[in-house]
Amino acid sequence: EEYLLPFSCKDRCLCPSCTAKRSVSFADFIVNEVIESVPHRHLVFSLPKIIRPYFKFDRKLIRMLSRCAYDSVKEICQSLFKEPAIPGMIIAVQTFSDDLGWHPHLHTLMTDGVFDEDGVFHPLEHLSLSYIKEVFEQKVLIGLRMKELISEETIKLIQSWQHTGFHVHHETRISAGDIARIEQVASYLIRSPISLERLSYNDQNANVTYQGKRDVYNFHPLVFLANLSLHIANHGEQMVRYYGWYSNKKRGMRKKDGKLNKTTTLSEDL
């Protein structure tokens, strides 16, 4: 099939040069318009290879994936706090691996704690990543089962493995007020699939060479373009989403009340 997609350098997160410029603006927006001056975590959610193709052929499922990640974190955070409270979370979708293969995963910047209804921040020093992974795994598998994409047998097969392939990795913890680190992570959230510094073309054998973090990959030019095209977002597809305290609705309400990005009073650690 052929799909005509209007394309410009202002979006799609494909062009390394334009994306580098856009990431600077995005980081500035995150720092000045979204986050509060509280501790944050950078988490990465990844999937087993057996279910990754479903998100390749139906990219609308990526929205479900992002929701599962947020709901997993929210449920666990709320279970540690007696009063109604929510975390703030920014989720960015990345679909590429080091060799430009299809590898949908989520990079998230989340508050290291929750906000109550009065806007008071409550730190959560002990957040179990293994528990988040288990809840995230269950939500994704149930979501795919409800859409009749996988069977109960497939779910049992995945859960029978010693390592299911679901993973939640803690990249880093960011202290309150560490703006430089926040900007670095925010820029990374919307990075381009490729780096021009790692890309070269060999005239002798007509191959494209890409230097990954660990290995060197050689592609026929058409194969390289085909792999790269997998990571072009569809028209109207959201690659960054905001949840909880950082949702558009919550930010709009705080802005209306003149409380956007005000320093939040911290409660005692739980």
Side-chain angles (χ1 to χ4, degrees):
E1 296 182 4
E2 291 186 357
Y3 176 64
L4 181 61
L5 180 66
F7 205 91
S8 74
C9 288
K10 296 182 180 179
D11 53 14
R12 310 292 178 215
C13 297
L14 184 68
C15 172
S17 177
C18 296
T19 301
K21 299 175 184 177
R22 183 170 177 259
S23 65
V24 174
S25 300
F26 177 75
D28 182 70
F29 168 72
I30 294 299
V31 169
N32 294 304
E33 300 290 340
V34 181
I35 69 162
E36 301 278 1
S37 183
V38 298
H40 287 77
R41 292 176 185 258
H42 178 198
L43 301 184
V44 182
F45 293 73
S46 53
L47 305 172
K49 293 181 179 179
I50 191 172
I51 65 172
R52 292 177 190 173
Y54 296 114
F55 300 89
K56 175 181 178 181
F57 295 107
D58 185 0
R59 293 181 67 110
K60 293 180 180 179
L61 292 174
I62 294 178
R63 180 178 181 180
M64 179 201 76
L65 189 65
S66 299
R67 190 74 207 185
C68 289
Y70 170 68
D71 286 344
S72 301
V73 172
K74 183 180 72 170
E75 286 184 13
I76 293 172
C77 287
Q78 289 181 339
S79 68
L80 300 174
F81 188 66
K82 297 180 181 179
E83 304 295 332
I86 55 174
M89 201 166 186
I90 306 169
I91 299 181
V93 179
Q94 294 186 7
T95 60
F96 49 89
S97 60
D98 201 33
D99 62 350
L100 296 182
W102 179 256
H103 176 35
H105 58 286
L106 307 174
H107 281 267
T108 69
L109 181 62
M110 58 165 286
T111 55
D112 197 7
V114 294
F115 294 87
D116 63 22
E117 295 178 340
D118 297 324
V120 178
F121 180 74
H122 302 266
L124 295 174
E125 297 296 335
H126 304 289
L127 193 62
S128 173
L129 295 182
S130 61
Y131 192 17
I132 294 177
K133 192 269 295 183
E134 292 176 5
V135 178
F136 175 66
E137 175 182 328
Q138 290 293 329
K139 288 184 177 295
V140 173
L141 292 178
I142 291 175
L144 293 176
R145 181 70 185 96
M146 292 179 64
K147 293 182 179 297
E148 300 182 347
L149 294 172
I150 59 176
S151 62
E152 291 291 344
E153 289 72 20
T154 302
I155 294 178
K156 292 180 181 179
L157 174 64
I158 294 174
Q159 293 177 336
S160 68
W161 298 337
Q162 183 177 359
H163 302 288
T164 62
F166 285 93
H167 188 62
V168 178
H169 179 66
H170 184 200
E171 287 282 343
T172 186
R173 190 175 183 181
I174 307 171
S175 302
D178 191 350
I179 301 301
R181 188 58 177 158
I182 289 288
E183 290 179 339
Q184 182 181 0
V185 173
S187 298
Y188 189 83
L189 294 183
I190 61 169
R191 69 190 180 102
S192 171
I194 59 172
S195 169
L196 292 181
E197 297 177 353
R198 300 181 181 183
L199 188 65
S200 62
Y201 180 72
N202 191 322
D203 290 325
Q204 296 180 352
N205 56 18
N207 271 353
V208 175
T209 300
Y210 190 71
Q211 174 66 57
K213 294 180 180 179
R214 298 180 180 179
D215 300 314
V216 177
Y217 304 98
N218 294 305
F219 303 91
H220 183 279
L222 294 181
V223 174
F224 174 78
L225 291 175
N227 286 2
L228 189 60
S229 68
L230 290 175
H231 311 298
I232 301 175
N234 291 332
H235 179 66
E237 182 177 352
Q238 297 294 323
M239 302 301 287
V240 180
R241 292 181 171 86
Y242 306 87
Y243 293 99
W245 191 255
Y246 291 161
S247 67
N248 295 332
K249 180 179 179 180
K250 287 288 186 180
R251 296 203 326 268
M253 293 171 61
R254 294 198 301 277
K255 188 174 182 178
K256 183 178 180 180
D257 296 336
K259 299 179 180 180
L260 186 62
N261 283 353
K262 296 290 184 66
T263 302
T264 308
T265 303
L266 303 181
S267 69
E268 296 181 358
D269 293 354
L270 297 182

